[in-house]
Amino acid sequence: MQPLLLYIEVNLLCVLILLLLAIKATKSNESRDTQTWFVAVLCAGIAAFSLDIVWTFVMTDALDVGFLGSFLINASYYFLATVASYCWFVYSERVQRSRFARTRRGLLICAIPLMISFALIVSSAATGWVLSIDETGAYERGDGYYVQFAIVYGYGAVTAVHAVLNAFKKENFALRSQYLTLTYFAIFPLLFISLQAALPGVPLTCVGMTFSLLWVYLNMQEQNISLDPLTQLNNRTHLAKYVAQKMRHRDAERTLCLFIIDVDRFKQINDSYGHVEGDRALQRVADAMRRLSAKEPAFLSRYGGDEFIIVKDAPGTCDAVAASALLNAEIAQLNEEAGAPYEMRVSVGGARYESGIRTLQDFIRVADRELYEAKAKRSMEDRAR
């Protein structure tokens, strides 16, 4: 009886941990459509582990549910595992900004393995192909169990491979750590499931899934602390830490540059088209910065409002004019692709690190002077037109 009590206690602990994560996740700053899918993973896990506890009582004859009840408990457990994997797949793909996973058509295509799993599990009542219940009420795996397992694990494996590939694309340099975190859900559950095959009396599957989701949640929270929620660029706090570190450990053969970026006439965009469109405009500026960093890695940050900062090592001078031309070209292309009803440009000021600069504010102050000159020049050009 003692091992069974431990089995129940471990499952119950996992249920409580996932319940706590679900409550916390619903209050997080993550985008609502992404957050919903993560909470769905947690809820599927809670339901599955709760069924595992119920099944323990059935196996010890403390609860009599008959043949149908036994089949429904095990069939539901199997299907919930597939649902959790499907929801994780969609969540992971949306974190990676996959457009396919954001369309109804894409979600339906991705759900095909889920529907196959449901059909196999339901048909097992007659065929016993995935699972069966014998005359004594005991559960047995069928010959098709590994097809079910492949579907469940396949969702996690596919999106994990996608996350690794995305992490090492140049344009995702700033998001590399976040994307690599998504691979944990494919690694740890498989490890714990393999261990459970050797230790069938220990509920290691629930431990592996709970550990993975807890690890992912904590890492995502750590990322969120360092990221601006609107643009997903680094925030001011992370910028200050990064610049302080770069000042202490500089590359003597390269120049440390800081560029401050200000959106021209941003207030007019907000006043004319609304704050929602203003947010989209800021997101396009962030996307343009990411495109540039794909060609030459840089630290990207939203400083506040409509101001952004790029910090990078350069082989020569910190040319704000060249940076402005490249950034405005990217913004113009993104504006055209989005069908924005207005022209948007930015002004850029740059500064190189010198011995008199001791803090981030000193660095920004120097770059600000060049920014004001650029904005004044732009204003004169506009009036001349």
Side-chain angles (χ1 to χ4, degrees):
M1 188 65 185
Q2 197 68 24
L4 288 174
L5 182 60
L6 176 62
Y7 193 95
I8 293 171
E9 288 174 344
V10 172
N11 269 292
L12 185 59
L13 178 61
C14 291
V15 167
L16 292 175
I17 291 172
L18 295 189
L19 182 60
L20 178 62
L21 291 182
I23 294 169
K24 289 288 186 181
T26 55
K27 298 178 181 179
S28 73
N29 292 325
E30 198 170 358
S31 62
R32 187 159 297 279
D33 63 334
T34 303
Q35 172 200 88
T36 300
W37 289 99
F38 185 72
V39 173
V41 179
L42 296 170
C43 291
I46 290 168
F49 302 156
S50 298
L51 285 174
D52 205 17
I53 294 173
V54 173
W55 181 245
T56 304
F57 286 113
V58 173
M59 290 299 294
T60 56
D61 296 325
L63 184 64
D64 184 11
V65 295
F67 171 83
L68 181 60
S70 296
F71 179 80
L72 288 176
I73 289 171
N74 285 280
S76 298
Y77 180 88
Y78 272 49
F79 186 61
L80 283 167
T82 317
V83 169
S85 295
Y86 170 72
C87 293
W88 171 260
F89 176 87
V90 177
Y91 167 75
S92 177
E93 290 298 300
R94 290 192 175 198
V95 169
Q96 297 174 68
R97 301 176 183 177
S98 168
R99 292 181 181 178
F100 183 73
R102 291 182 180 275
T103 65
R104 182 173 295 180
R105 178 173 175 270
L107 291 175
L108 286 173
I109 292 173
C110 295
I112 290 173
L114 176 69
M115 291 184 278
I116 292 172
S117 172
F118 179 74
L120 292 175
I121 292 169
V122 170
S123 65
S124 291
T127 64
W129 203 59
V130 174
L131 75 152
S132 62
I133 306 298
D134 65 18
E135 298 80 6
T136 65
Y139 147 81
E140 292 181 359
R141 291 177 180 174
D143 295 335
Y145 166 80
Y146 293 102
V147 175
Q148 165 68 14
F149 177 81
I151 292 173
V152 172
Y153 189 71
Y155 276 122
V158 168
T159 193
V161 171
H162 190 203
V164 170
L165 294 176
N166 271 336
F168 289 97
K169 287 182 179 178
K170 288 184 178 180
E171 63 266 28
N172 293 330
F173 174 77
L175 297 169
R176 183 167 298 170
S177 177
Q178 185 180 19
Y179 286 174
L180 288 177
T181 298
L182 297 173
T183 64
Y184 299 155
F185 194 75
I187 296 171
F188 291 118
L190 180 62
L191 175 62
F192 280 86
I193 289 170
S194 301
L195 288 173
Q196 181 153 5
L199 301 168
V202 184
L204 291 175
T205 300
C206 77
V207 173
M209 184 174 174
T210 303
F211 178 81
S212 300
L213 290 170
L214 180 59
W215 186 276
V216 169
Y217 177 79
L218 292 175
N219 274 272
M220 290 302 182
Q221 289 302 108
E222 186 177 343
Q223 291 291 327
N224 289 337
I225 291 171
S226 303
L227 294 178
D228 171 61
L230 176 65
T231 63
Q232 292 298 294
L233 296 180
N234 297 289
N235 61 20
R236 187 186 298 198
T237 302
H238 200 193
L239 170 67
K241 292 178 181 177
Y242 179 81
V243 170
Q245 183 182 29
K246 291 295 289 184
M247 287 179 180
R248 288 194 300 269
H249 307 288
R250 281 191 307 116
D251 185 344
E253 297 180 359
R254 294 171 70 84
T255 304
L256 180 62
C257 301
L258 182 146
F259 297 101
I260 184 165
I261 300 154
D262 185 85
V263 181
D264 297 336
R265 297 186 178 85
F266 179 67
K267 186 175 184 301
Q268 290 182 11
I269 296 174
N270 267 338
D271 292 344
S272 301
Y273 301 98
H275 290 281
V276 172
E277 184 58 38
D279 287 347
R280 293 194 187 108
L282 294 177
Q283 288 170 336
R284 284 197 290 277
V285 174
D287 288 340
M289 291 167 63
R290 288 190 188 95
R291 286 191 180 188
L292 288 182
S293 72
K295 301 167 186 174
E296 190 173 351
F299 184 90
L300 312 177
S301 173
R302 183 185 180 195
Y303 189 63
D306 60 334
E307 290 187 327
F308 299 83
I309 284 178
I310 296 176
V311 181
K312 60 186 287 189
D313 287 314
T317 60
C318 303
D319 191 344
V321 175
S324 177
L326 291 170
L327 190 54
N328 278 309
E330 294 288 355
I331 290 171
Q333 184 177 342
L334 287 169
N335 257 18
E336 183 179 350
E337 292 172 2
Y342 50 82
E343 181 184 2
M344 182 170 61
R345 292 181 62 85
V346 298
S347 297
V348 181
R352 60 177 292 168
Y353 177 75
E354 296 175 344
S355 57
I357 296 175
R358 299 181 182 278
T359 65
L360 171 62
Q361 295 307 316
D362 293 338
F363 217 159
I364 291 175
R365 197 174 294 115
V366 177
D368 257 337
R369 287 198 288 267
E370 189 169 314
L371 173 64
Y372 291 137
E373 291 173 6
K375 290 187 78 68
K377 183 179 179 181
R378 176 70 53 77
S379 181
M380 290 176 63
E381 289 173 353
D382 290 344
R383 282 198 297 268
R385 293 173 189 172

